Amino acid sequence: MPLNLSRPGEPLLVKKINGKEEVRRFLENLGFVAGAQVSVVSENMGNVIVQIKDCRVAISKEMAQKIIV
């Protein structure tokens, strides 16, 4: 399921990243790699706040749709 459809606070594991090479590379640089633990903190004005590793990152809903958990 895409990350943007998950419930806030639910711990999830990244299974794969879809999209163009540049989008995948951008998300990998933020820490979104297969096996990484993530959780959605909240949604705010079209952005998704995600907890990954020990930091919070805001990504667009379109980017969150490319992250399969």
Side-chain angles (χ1 to χ4, degrees):
M1 122 177 118
L3 182 63
N4 65 316
L5 297 179
S6 66
R7 290 181 288 154
E10 184 178 0
L12 304 161
L13 289 178
V14 175
K15 293 187 179 168
K16 73 177 197 174
I17 307 294
N18 293 329
K20 295 180 180 178
E21 178 64 30
E22 60 194 36
V23 172
R24 289 196 315 259
R25 193 175 308 123
F26 173 76
L27 290 171
E28 285 173 4
N29 288 336
L30 290 176
F32 295 96
V33 294
Q37 185 170 345
V38 298
S39 65
V40 173
V41 176
S42 66
E43 279 190 47
N44 187 9
M45 297 173 56
N47 292 323
V48 180
I49 311 295
V50 181
Q51 177 84 29
I52 184 158
K53 298 191 178 179
D54 289 330
C55 61
R56 291 184 179 186
V57 178
I59 57 175
S60 67
K61 259 188 192 175
E62 291 79 21
M63 288 276 192
Q65 287 176 340
K66 296 180 186 325
I67 301 168
I68 305 301
V69 294

